[in-house]
């Protein structure tokens, strides 16, 4: 680990600022204001759930690690019969009223911290932690993955071709995630905003 | 100076200064440390491992056995660095190693005189007696005398990191075959990674005088690299050694990011460990030249012929003034011709063969080079080589030379091809092993596959690169290979000069001589793996790259077997040494693993908490206040304040698992020993889970929030394990059950509020309209509510401390606000935040089991939960828990312990023996699991597991703690020390 990181206590998220070499190879922004909920459906209820999502949200629930986004809500496939939903205020109630009991719905708005990551050297930075291929020819906008980065379980998806990756990190792992990110992006210049 | 006036691939416009053993020297950008030393006429570079013989530079690559140096100074000092692979930089500091007091005069060189005593196996024979002397005398003495460099004992100041890369085709080695393989794959459209350990790509194209497509080999290589680097589907890694082949197309590689600089660039790592996932790979790692074994073949000035050629052509450095060549093959002749053409003096080309291709002999004669066919070098002399003796049919002749280039043929660098266990195959026509069964997806090209001509290497590279790409669906007719000539490459197997005088080395790095191989043979260590271990042939940093084949060829001859029958030793990663730090990457110091703060971490910090790591979590251990002398004083105050009035602790770290579905009740009945399907809505129940083998796995409380909705808590330590266990049960054992699991550990901050005034404090933060009365929310009740003006919350009336207690869960972002609100509300009650120490004291006072008792060796019955287990249902672990040994009443079971004299301190880990019995294992009856100073009782108390413990209340035992010197008489008592009837819980 780089010396400059020893200034920051390991239990705290690295504060906003510029780190490492000059430039902005990677820009990290914490996203607030989105509510998050987890959906879990028993195998025999998945079709029913799909139908309700189509009817009520106009969305096809992704059948794999993909993102399906509508106007007010988006779903990320995180496992067989499991999704993360993101949306505006009142998300949990909205989902529960339309999708329960086909799916178990749990509020995760406080359990997951969202970071948007972008910048010209982002893929080089993420390669230092992710053991999956995020080359633009392989991992395209709308693709998602639930995997580990630097010993931390995360879900992330690609929003656009800039590229902007959105990471959902368990709350208590956010400091470790920020340390991984800043250390790995230091040689390219890292901006935390 | 031995630097030639012109030529070479060095940048003469960028002079660099460096030092070796304190002497200031100069080189150029593009030099290695070895080439710069040669250019400065430094021939003596190190001392050998065992006999401290003077050694020089043998090779020009990563196979170097001799020229090991200490590089850098202070914290960056790195021993055993191969001078041949160190890229020169300005200010480089290098020192020779394994010598004292100096390189030129080394007292340990006396070992050479003792060499008759120090042969193979000498440790085993010499240091057998007395046995005690091994550790104290022999081993330290041997370690001082034998050995390599000194490691820096300071912390490594540099950063390291790991990274992942993915490709269709990985090409290992950027010589002629590798460059062509990469180009063919890339032009077909595959994603290609090309990696080479050198800082200049091109391999032998940079070291030999050759032409490819009408241009110089080095220019061709530079152009090919430039083309590859310009393609979007190609990544070129220089200074990167692919060191291992693992499962499923995973290759390990080490990139030396900053080793060619005095210090790594700011914010860049020194080295980066790559995990490359490749669908196909082409191994084009070239071949390594072998020495010939004869007396004095290790003298400084004796060098591999191809290395001489490399220093001459690539680095424009002439390794000696008068050079003889001694070989069994055509390649060495070209080295001699290169020397002569460059204006060097070639004393003679000595070839063991009697007939050599006329093209070579004619050219040698034309250049005035003397030829000695059917000749053998029988001895050498000089600290630095001064002369050699050559035996031919005409007799023995002494030649004055300061350089001798030797070549015993070439061994393909097939190491990686053997990493999955494939055995190499011997080929007589090239006198070398070639790869056998390679790992899946790995093709071998060029010299690594035993194809030694330049044209053959180029063509093989094109073919293998195209083949790898085609395999993956990238179809393109490969371009014709570039034009080049296949130079003569005849070889006659020859390993050892039989009639030579003096120590004849097989393995320079480990000082293994031909005689050692003879000893191993005579003593029965004839299998190659035995030969390696008995003589150390092929061990250490070079892993026998130059010596293995020669060693086993000599053994084969001694044993009267063919080399094919003798076989080769096993190839294992890494191909060349890799620093441990590179495997650790960023995960050092506090970043060894993630640190997980609780939702109230910042609040606890403001309260002055001392923190403790519990697993990954950082939890408040205790909250010292001004004037308190030690942790025990703080903890005692926290316990007293809680028992007398009220206290609070963050309990968010417990695992929290949300269970929803029609069958949750039935599911819980199967995973817990007790029944949960009957739990009323709004109630909490304590439960125990067993492993399949009948031992206790975990405990915790589960609340029923609705008809089909439960919330389970697990211990902090087992949160992930229990989730995994439940997931397994649902996916594999009972997929028919409608149960959906969700971890909500991170979502909820949970604060435990305990003490007689807990209700009064809670009332101040709970929103109006929530009835907290004993009737409305009794002990083991649960309900949803709102706190602090509309924040959704869950209330659980549970207690670990034994006091009136509530756990209040709020969404994690509100955790800190809740802690503040409770502190504010509790100000009038002297509310005390408490840490995990006080938590532990209170649970021991209450006889609640925790980690030390849930140790994987205890049954529910051992812990006093026998009656909790339902006899009316099946559950995981029930059958195995019924095994006779687990029902044995003599098993250690939970009991409480007090010191008889009440002032003694108890120690966890102490073992129980009967009074008057010695503290010996045969009298052991159990051990103390947890201890605490009980503020409520004013003395130390303990929980322990004692044979028939629960039946022996009132008896006395010895609690012996030989580790810390404790020996205390204790009284056995109930494990519940405080409020045994639980009255305080229900108020």
């Amino acid at each position: 680990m780089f010396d400059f990181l020893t200034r920051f206590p390991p239990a705290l998220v690295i504060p906003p600022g510029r780190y490492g070499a000059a430039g902005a190879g990677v820009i990290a922004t914490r996203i607030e204001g989105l509510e998050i909920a987890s959906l879990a459906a028993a195998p025999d209820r998945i079709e029913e759930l799909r139908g309700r999502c189509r009817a009520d949200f106009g969305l096809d629930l992704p059948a794999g690690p993909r993102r399906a986004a509508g106007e007010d809500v988006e779903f990320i496939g995180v496992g067989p019969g499991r999704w993360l939903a993101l949306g505006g205020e009142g998300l949990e109630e909205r989902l529960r009223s339309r999708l329960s009991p086909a799916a178990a719905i749990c509020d995760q708005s406080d359990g997951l911290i969202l970071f948007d990551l972008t910048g010209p050297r982002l893929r080089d930075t993420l390669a230092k932690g992710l053991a999956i291929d995020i080359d633009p020819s392989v991992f395209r906008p709308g693709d998602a993955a639930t995997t580990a980065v630097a010993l931390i379980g995360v879900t992330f998806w690609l929003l656009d071709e800039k590229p902007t990756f959105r990471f959902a990190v368990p709350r208590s792992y956010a400091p470790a995630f920020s340390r991984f990110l800043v250390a790995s992006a230091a040689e390219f210049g890292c901006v935390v905003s | 100076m031995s630097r030639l006036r012109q030529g070479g691939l060095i940048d003469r416009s960028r002079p660099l200064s460096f030092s070796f053993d304190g002497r200031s020297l100069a080189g150029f950008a593009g030099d290695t440390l070895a080439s710069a030393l040669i250019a400065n006429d430094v021939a003596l570079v190190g001392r050998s491992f065992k006999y401290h013989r003077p050694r020089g530079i043998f090779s020009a690559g990563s196979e170097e056995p001799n020229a090991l140096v200490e590089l850098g100074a202070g914290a960056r000092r790195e021993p055993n660095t191969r001078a041949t692979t160190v890229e020169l930089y300005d200010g480089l500091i290098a020192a020779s190693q394994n010598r004292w007091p100096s390189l030129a005069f080394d007292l340990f060189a006396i070992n050479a005189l003792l060499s008759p005593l120090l042969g193979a196996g000498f440790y085993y024979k010499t240091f057998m007696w007395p046995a005690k002397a091994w550790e104290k005398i022999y081993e330290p003495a041997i370690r001082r005398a034998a050995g390599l460099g000194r490691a820096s004992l300071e912390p490594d100041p540099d950063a390291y990191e790991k990274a992942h890369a993915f490709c269709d085709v990985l090409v290992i080695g950027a010589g002629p075959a590798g460059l062509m393989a990469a180009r063919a794959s890339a032009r077909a459209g595959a994603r290609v990674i090309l990696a080479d350990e050198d800082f200049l790509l091109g391999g032998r194209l940079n070291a030999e005088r050759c032409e490819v497509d009408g241009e110089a080999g080095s220019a061709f290589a530079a152009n090919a690299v430039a083309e590859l680097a310009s393609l979007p589907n190609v990544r070129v890694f220089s200074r990167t050694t692919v060191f291992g082949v693992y499962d499923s197309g995973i290759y390990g590689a080490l990139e030396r990011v900053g080793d060619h600089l005095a210090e790594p660039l700011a914010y860049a790592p020194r080295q980066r460990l790559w995990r490359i996932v490749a669908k196909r790979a082409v191994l084009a790692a070239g071949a390594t030249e072998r020495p010939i074994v004869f007396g004095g073949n290790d003298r400084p000035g004796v060098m591999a012929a191809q290395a001489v050629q490399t220093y001459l052509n690539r680095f424009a450095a002439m390794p000696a003034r008068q050079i003889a060549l001694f070989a069994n093959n055509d390649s060495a002749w070209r080295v001699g011709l290169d020397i002569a053409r460059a204006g060097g003096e070639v004393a003679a080309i000595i070839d063991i063969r009697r007939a050599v291709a006329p093209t070579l002999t004619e050219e040698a004669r034309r250049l005035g080079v003397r030829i000695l066919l059917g000749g053998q070098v029988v001895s050498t002399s000089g600290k630095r080589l001064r002369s050699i003796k050559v035996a031919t049919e005409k007799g023995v002749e002494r030649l004055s030379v300061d350089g001798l280039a030797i070549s015993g043929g070439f061994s393909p660098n097939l190491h990686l091809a053997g990493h999955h266990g494939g055995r190499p195959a011997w080929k007589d026509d090239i006198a070398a092993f070639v790869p056998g069964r390679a790992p899946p997806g790995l093709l071998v090209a060029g010299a690594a596959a035993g194809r030694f001509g330049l044209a053959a290497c180029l063509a093989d590279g094109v073919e293998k690169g195209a083949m790898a790409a085609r395999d993956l669906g990238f179809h393109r007719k490969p371009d014709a290979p570039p034009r080049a000539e296949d130079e003569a490459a005849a070889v006659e197997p020859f390993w050892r000069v039989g009639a030579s005088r003096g120590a004849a080395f097989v393995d320079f790095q480990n000082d293994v001589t031909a005689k050692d191989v003879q000893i191993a043979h005579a003593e029965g260590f004839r299998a190659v793996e035995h030969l390696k271990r008995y003589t150390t042939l092929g061990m250490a940093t070079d892993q026998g790259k130059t010596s293995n084949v020669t060693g086993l060829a000599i053994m084969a001859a001694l044993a009267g077997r063919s080399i094919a029958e003798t076989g080769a030793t096993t190839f294992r990663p890494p191909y060349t040494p890799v620093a441990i730090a590179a495997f650790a990457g960023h995960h050092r110091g506090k970043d060894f693993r993630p640190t997980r703060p609780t939702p109230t971490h910042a609040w606890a910090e403001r309260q002055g908490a001392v923190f403790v790591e519990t697993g990954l979590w950082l939890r408040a251990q205790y909250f010292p206040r001004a004037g308190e002398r030690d942790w025990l004083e703080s903890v005692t105050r926290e316990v007293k304040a809680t028992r007398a009035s009220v206290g609070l602790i963050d309990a968010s770290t417990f695992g929290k698992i949300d269970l929803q579905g029609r069958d949750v009740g039935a599911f819980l009945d199967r995973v817990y020993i007790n029944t949960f399907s009957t739990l009323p809505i709004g109630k909490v129940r304590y439960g125990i889970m067993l492993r399949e083998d009948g031992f206790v796995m975990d405990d915790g409380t589960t609340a029923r929030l609705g008809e089909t909705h439960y919330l389970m808590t697990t211990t902090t330590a087992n949160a992930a394990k229990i989730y995994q266990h439940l997931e397994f049960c649902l996916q594999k054992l009972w997929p028919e059950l409608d149960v959906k699991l969700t971890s909500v550990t991170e979502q909820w901050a949970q604060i435990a509020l305990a003490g007689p005034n807990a209700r009064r404090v809670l009332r101040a933060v709970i929103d109006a309209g929530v009835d907290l009365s004993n009737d409305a929310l009794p002990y083991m009740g649960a309900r949803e509510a709102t706190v602090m003006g509309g924040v959704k919350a869950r209330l659980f009336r549970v207690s670990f401390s034994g006091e009136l207690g509530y756990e209040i869960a709020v969404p994690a972002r509100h955790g800190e606000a809740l802690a503040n609100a409770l502190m504010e509300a509790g100000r009038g009650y002297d509310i005390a935040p408490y840490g995990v120490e006080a938590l532990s004291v209170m649970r021991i006072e209450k006889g609640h089991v925790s980690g030390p008792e849930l140790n994987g060796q205890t049954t529910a019955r051992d812990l006093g939960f026998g009656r909790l287990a339902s006899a009316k249902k099946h559950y995981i672990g029930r059958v195995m828990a019924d095994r006779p040994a687990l029902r044995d009443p003599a098993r250690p079971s939970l009991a409480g312990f007090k010191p008889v004299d009440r002032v003694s301190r108890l120690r966890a880990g102490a073992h129980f023996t009967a009074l008057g019995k010695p503290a010996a294992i045969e009298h052991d009856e159990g051990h103390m699991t947890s201890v605490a100073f009980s503020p409520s009782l004013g003395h130390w108390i303990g929980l322990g597991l004692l044979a028939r413990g629960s039946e022996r209340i009132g008896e006395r035992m010895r609690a012996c703690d030989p580790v810390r010197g404790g020996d205390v008489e204790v009284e056995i008592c109930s494990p519940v020390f405080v409020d045994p009837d639980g009255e305080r819980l229900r108020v």
Side-chain angles (χ1 to χ4, degrees):
Chain A
M1 194 49 83
F2 296 100
D3 275 347
F4 76 91
L5 271 183
T6 57
R7 293 205 310 268
F8 302 101
L12 299 183
V13 174
I14 303 279
R18 290 177 164 272
Y19 299 95
V26 171
I27 300 156
T29 311
R30 184 166 165 178
I31 301 299
E32 287 176 286
L34 271 179
E35 294 196 354
I36 310 168
S38 58
L39 274 65
D44 58 351
R45 304 292 290 271
I46 291 177
E47 274 321 303
E48 178 192 345
L49 185 65
R50 259 181 222 296
R52 291 197 190 187
C53 275
R54 217 171 285 129
D56 287 342
F57 299 109
L59 284 177
D60 277 322
L61 269 183
R66 294 274 304 164
R67 168 179 183 253
E71 277 180 20
D72 193 28
V73 66
E74 60 185 287
F75 296 101
I76 319 291
V78 295
R82 289 182 180 272
W83 296 266
L84 276 186
L86 291 90
E89 209 181 322
L91 175 72
E92 186 191 356
E93 279 320 306
R94 212 156 61 236
L95 293 172
R96 185 162 289 143
S97 65
R98 300 180 196 183
L99 305 179
S100 224
I105 290 149
C106 291
D107 187 8
Q108 302 282 7
S109 307
D110 290 47
L112 294 168
I113 308 280
L114 299 175
F115 292 97
D116 273 6
L117 310 180
T118 188
R121 303 307 298 275
L122 179 62
R123 283 196 175 90
D124 294 320
T125 299
L126 292 178
K128 299 179 188 183
L130 285 175
I132 63 170
D133 194 357
I134 51 167
D135 188 83
S137 66
V138 176
F139 201 91
R140 300 191 175 87
D143 282 341
T146 297
T147 181
V149 54
L151 311 175
I152 302 161
V154 297
T155 294
F156 69 92
W157 52 98
L158 182 55
L159 290 172
D160 57 42
E161 281 170 354
K162 272 171 66 181
T164 308
F165 284 88
R166 179 163 289 176
F167 273 74
V169 181
R171 165 175 289 268
S172 69
Y173 286 100
F177 180 78
S178 74
R179 292 174 77 81
F180 151 74
L181 188 73
V182 170
S184 300
E187 63 173 320
F188 312 122
C190 182
V191 179
V192 178
S193 61
Chain B
M1 279 290 285
S2 300
R3 185 78 76 181
L4 302 177
R5 289 183 186 282
Q6 56 189 20
L9 302 171
I10 48 171
D11 184 352
R12 292 174 198 256
S13 69
R14 287 173 56 206
L16 305 172
S17 66
F18 70 103
S19 82
F20 179 67
D21 276 348
R23 214 178 121 201
S24 281
L25 300 167
F28 293 112
D31 261 325
T32 61
L33 173 58
S35 71
L37 288 171
I38 288 170
N40 283 282
D41 283 332
V42 176
L44 176 59
V45 176
R47 289 276 174 169
S48 73
F49 179 67
K50 197 153 91 176
Y51 303 128
H52 290 247
R53 287 171 68 99
R55 291 281 166 82
I57 294 161
F58 180 74
S59 76
S62 60
E63 70 272 30
E64 177 61 30
N66 280 344
L68 305 184
V69 298
E70 284 178 359
L71 197 64
R76 287 198 167 83
R77 188 179 71 205
E78 185 163 11
N80 311 330
T81 310
R82 288 151 292 161
T84 49
T85 63
V86 175
E87 192 173 344
L88 198 68
Y89 53 82
D90 205 41
L92 178 146
I93 297 169
S96 58
Q97 55 189 38
N98 200 31
R99 81 291 190 272
W100 188 85
S102 75
L103 181 57
F105 178 71
D106 176 8
L107 281 177
F108 279 111
I110 194 165
N111 282 8
L113 301 177
L114 301 174
S115 63
L117 303 176
L118 298 181
F122 84 99
Y123 294 165
Y124 316 126
K125 295 168 193 162
T126 315
F127 300 111
M128 291 300 291
W129 185 88
K132 274 186 183 167
W134 175 257
E135 211 171 280
K136 291 209 163 62
I137 301 168
Y138 297 147
E139 192 181 356
I142 292 166
R143 285 202 183 280
R144 202 171 309 122
L148 301 165
R150 303 160 301 154
S152 161
L153 297 178
E154 293 170 51
D156 189 337
D158 293 326
Y160 298 78
E161 66 187 21
K162 294 190 275 192
H164 304 81
F166 298 81
C167 62
D168 294 315
V169 181
L170 167 67
V171 179
I172 302 158
L179 286 173
M180 289 306 98
R183 199 167 81 175
S185 293
R187 285 179 176 176
R191 278 170 80 191
V192 174
I193 291 177
L194 172 64
D196 193 285
E197 60 182 357
D198 207 330
F199 55 90
L200 181 70
L201 303 193
R204 297 300 299 169
L205 289 170
N206 294 322
E208 297 181 19
R209 291 171 174 235
C210 57
E211 274 196 4
V212 183
D213 266 355
E215 56 185 340
S218 58
F220 175 81
N223 289 335
V225 172
E227 182 200 329
L228 288 167
S230 73
L231 295 174
N233 55 328
V234 179
R235 293 177 79 175
V236 178
F237 287 91
S238 60
R239 305 185 177 103
T240 302
T241 305
V242 177
F243 61 78
V245 185
Y246 303 91
D247 287 348
S248 314
I250 293 171
Y251 294 78
L254 184 76
E255 182 186 9
R256 287 170 291 277
V257 181
D259 279 355
H260 60 297
L261 308 167
E263 283 181 23
L265 295 174
Y267 309 114
R270 178 188 166 210
Q271 295 178 342
R272 190 179 284 137
L273 189 86
W274 287 93
R275 180 180 180 272
I276 300 174
V277 182
K279 292 178 185 144
R280 295 287 182 279
V282 178
L283 176 64
T288 298
E289 196 166 38
R290 301 186 293 246
I292 296 174
V293 179
F294 56 91
N297 63 344
D298 64 328
R299 220 171 284 283
V302 180
M303 190 179 279
Q306 277 209 337
V308 171
Q309 194 176 30
T310 303
Y311 291 117
L312 189 63
N313 293 325
R314 175 172 165 183
F315 299 105
M318 187 71 87
R321 283 174 187 81
Q322 295 151 308
I323 303 178
L325 292 103
F326 177 33
N328 66 341
N329 63 76
D330 294 348
S331 165
W333 285 70
R334 281 189 299 282
V335 178
L337 302 178
D338 278 3
I339 297 168
R341 287 193 198 104
E345 190 183 322
V346 180
I349 298 179
I350 305 148
D351 199 312
I352 59 111
R353 298 174 293 177
R354 285 165 206 283
V356 174
T359 48
L360 295 171
T361 49
E362 279 161 23
E363 180 67 5
R365 286 201 186 93
R366 196 182 65 76
L367 290 165
V369 172
R370 192 177 167 207
I371 299 168
L372 292 170
L373 294 182
Q376 299 186 359
V377 176
V378 292
S379 70
T380 67
S381 70
K383 183 182 246 180
R384 174 181 180 163
L385 186 67
R386 277 201 319 271
S387 68
I388 58 173
K389 280 188 180 163
V390 183
T392 60
E393 282 172 335
K394 293 171 192 158
V396 175
E397 182 183 354
R398 187 168 168 278
L399 295 180
S400 282
V401 294
D402 60 349
L404 177 62
I406 59 175
S407 178
F410 294 89
S411 296
N413 292 328
L414 44 73
H415 306 65
L416 268 64
H419 280 184
H420 282 205
R423 291 283 169 184
W426 181 256
K427 275 184 79 175
D428 275 323
D429 59 330
I430 56 168
F433 282 106
V434 294
R437 181 177 49 81
L442 179 77
L443 300 167
V444 189
R451 293 180 182 85
F452 288 144
L454 175 57
C457 283
L458 292 164
D460 199 29
V462 171
E463 188 189 330
K464 298 288 163 54
M467 190 187 290
R470 200 164 50 237
D471 239 17
L472 300 169
F474 298 97
H475 292 282
R476 179 183 187 272
K477 189 169 172 292
D479 302 300
R483 279 173 291 113
E485 283 188 18
D486 265 337
E487 59 282 12
V491 61
E492 183 178 317
F494 182 79
W495 312 104
R496 171 189 180 194
V497 177
S500 79
R501 291 172 55 87
F505 287 88
V506 180
D507 181 335
F508 297 123
Q509 186 167 94
N510 294 296
D511 273 352
V512 178
T513 62
K515 195 176 156 202
D516 291 322
V517 180
Q518 279 171 320
I519 293 171
H521 173 261
E523 297 186 357
F525 296 96
R526 293 171 192 179
V528 283
E529 300 286 2
H530 290 162
L531 171 67
K532 175 173 181 174
R533 280 145 189 90
Y534 194 60
T535 63
T536 69
L537 172 80
M539 290 191 176
T541 60
D542 70 356
Q543 284 291 297
K545 289 184 177 62
T546 56
S547 62
N548 277 341
V549 173
T550 314
L552 67 90
I554 293 172
M555 176 59 84
L558 291 168
R561 288 176 300 188
S562 69
I563 294 175
E565 286 166 335
T566 305
T569 50
T570 308
F571 296 105
R572 297 186 183 89
Y575 175 65
T576 51
V578 181
I580 294 285
F583 287 98
H586 288 167
H587 299 292
R588 288 165 64 188
K590 288 287 178 197
D591 292 294
F592 177 65
R593 53 188 191 175
T595 297
R596 302 177 72 183
T598 65
T600 60
H601 182 84
W603 166 82
E605 225 169 23
R606 282 197 301 279
Q607 297 288 328
V610 171
F611 292 94
V612 62
E613 289 169 11
T614 58
L616 301 184
W617 291 101
L618 203 56
R619 299 187 71 183
Q621 188 177 13
Y622 57 98
F623 294 83
R625 286 193 182 163
E628 289 174 346
R629 282 162 305 179
D630 60 9
W631 65 274
L632 187 56
E633 198 175 327
S634 305
V635 171
T636 300
R637 172 191 42 78
E638 289 169 15
V639 172
K640 281 182 172 166
T642 304
R643 294 235 186 272
S645 179
V646 63
L648 81 165
I649 183 171
D650 188 321
S652 310
T653 60
F654 289 141
K656 306 180 206 73
I657 302 171
D658 181 281
L659 302 102
Q660 298 184 42
R662 290 185 308 271
D663 303 319
V664 176
F667 175 66
L668 292 175
D669 286 349
R670 296 183 196 184
V671 296
Y672 277 123
I673 66 170
N674 46 334
T675 306
F676 280 78
S677 53
T678 56
L679 183 68
I681 294 170
K683 283 289 194 183
V684 187
R685 190 167 282 170
Y686 175 79
I688 298 260
M689 277 185 214
L690 304 187
R691 300 190 308 226
E692 201 64 78
D693 65 4
F695 290 94
V696 174
M697 178 161 63
D698 200 48
D699 72 343
T701 59
T702 288
R704 189 167 193 174
L705 302 178
E707 181 59 33
T708 59
H709 191 188
Y710 288 68
L711 184 72
M712 175 187 289
T713 61
T714 73
T715 58
T716 300
N718 286 333
K721 193 169 102 181
I722 297 301
Y723 186 91
Q724 208 169 25
H725 171 68
L726 300 183
E727 192 69 73
F728 170 80
C729 292
L730 284 171
Q731 289 188 24
K732 180 72 186 135
L733 306 182
W734 313 305
E736 71 281 5
L737 294 185
D738 176 35
V739 177
K740 277 87 66 179
L741 299 176
T742 308
S743 170
V744 292
T745 306
E746 296 277 5
Q747 168 68 18
W748 296 91
Q750 197 146 320
I751 292 182
L753 186 68
N757 287 317
R759 187 179 289 119
R760 293 184 186 92
V761 173
L762 179 58
R763 201 165 271 147
V765 302
I766 207 104
D767 290 349
V770 180
D771 186 355
L772 290 180
S773 70
N774 210 11
D775 293 337
L777 186 61
Y779 178 56
M780 296 306 252
R783 62 162 296 170
E784 294 191 325
T786 57
V787 296
M788 300 185 292
V791 175
K792 67 178 174 182
R794 289 167 173 172
L795 301 182
F796 309 94
R797 193 170 156 194
V798 293
S799 176
F800 200 42
S801 61
E803 301 298 327
L804 166 66
Y806 299 89
E807 289 189 4
I808 308 122
V810 291
R813 80 186 67 186
H814 300 291
E816 189 173 337
L818 178 63
N820 280 323
L822 291 169
M823 287 296 283
E824 184 59 33
R827 194 195 299 231
Y829 302 100
D830 289 331
I831 190 167
Y834 62 93
V836 291
E837 292 293 344
L839 177 81
S840 178
V841 170
M842 290 192 275
R843 73 100 185 158
I844 294 169
E845 286 184 330
K846 281 295 290 179
H848 289 154
V849 294
S850 187
E853 291 80 33
L854 304 175
N855 62 6
Q857 300 174 330
T858 46
T859 66
R861 209 176 285 106
D862 297 341
L863 300 176
F865 295 118
R867 273 179 295 172
L868 199 64
S870 167
K872 296 182 198 150
K873 64 179 182 100
H874 282 291
Y875 52 87
I876 288 179
R878 177 177 169 172
V879 174
M880 298 295 265
D882 216 26
R883 286 178 288 173
L886 269 60
R887 281 189 284 118
D888 183 353
R891 280 180 63 81
S893 61
L894 188 73
F897 299 88
K898 312 184 221 195
V900 170
D901 65 8
R902 297 291 190 266
V903 294
S904 292
R905 178 171 186 167
L906 300 184
R907 298 279 189 186
H911 278 254
F912 302 121
T913 61
L915 293 176
K917 287 276 171 61
I921 191 74
E922 58 269 31
H923 303 296
D924 185 29
E925 296 194 49
H927 77 282
M928 194 89 82
T929 50
S930 302
V931 300
F933 177 78
S934 166
S936 311
L937 303 179
H939 59 77
W940 285 82
I941 58 172
L943 299 178
L945 296 164
L946 174 68
R948 298 181 191 275
S950 51
E951 301 165 19
R952 296 166 69 179
I953 308 272
E955 282 182 34
R956 290 180 175 189
M957 303 286 294
R958 267 177 87 182
C960 303
D961 178 22
V963 176
R964 283 158 295 195
D967 189 353
V968 180
E969 190 175 336
V970 293
E971 182 186 325
I972 306 168
C973 59
S974 156
V976 187
F977 294 90
V978 167
D979 188 23
D981 298 325
E983 287 164 4
R984 297 187 198 174
L985 298 166
R986 297 182 172 81
V987 293

